[in-house]
């Protein structure tokens, strides 16, 4: 059973995923933004897997 916290984390993870895709499809993707988004996404995934 998924908790409210896990649901919120999953939603944030999906949002970050969309932002990463949007950034990579820009004419000149910003590598710093992409790196930050990917780090945030990884932290959320680790928290989800540990929960």
């Amino acid at each position: 059973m998924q908790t409210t916290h896990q649901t919120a984390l999953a939603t944030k993870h999906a949002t970050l995923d969309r932002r990463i895709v949007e950034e990579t499809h820009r004419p000149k993707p910003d590598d710093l933004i992409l790196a930050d988004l990917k780090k945030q996404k990884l932290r959320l995934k680790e928290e989800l897997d540990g929960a």
Side-chain angles (χ1 to χ4, degrees):
M1 185 170 146
Q2 203 171 30
T3 67
T4 304
H5 181 66
Q6 288 171 316
T7 303
L9 291 175
T11 301
K12 288 178 184 179
H13 188 270
T15 299
L16 286 169
D17 206 28
R18 280 193 304 275
R19 289 181 61 197
I20 290 168
V21 169
E22 289 170 3
E23 186 64 32
T24 57
H25 286 88
R26 287 182 46 199
K28 292 186 179 181
D30 188 320
D31 291 333
L32 292 176
I33 290 174
L34 279 173
D36 183 54
L37 291 171
K38 288 178 181 182
K39 284 179 193 174
Q40 290 179 52
K41 184 179 167 189
L42 180 59
R43 278 189 227 110
L44 285 174
K45 181 172 178 8
E46 289 172 348
E47 191 171 343
L48 273 169
D49 290 345

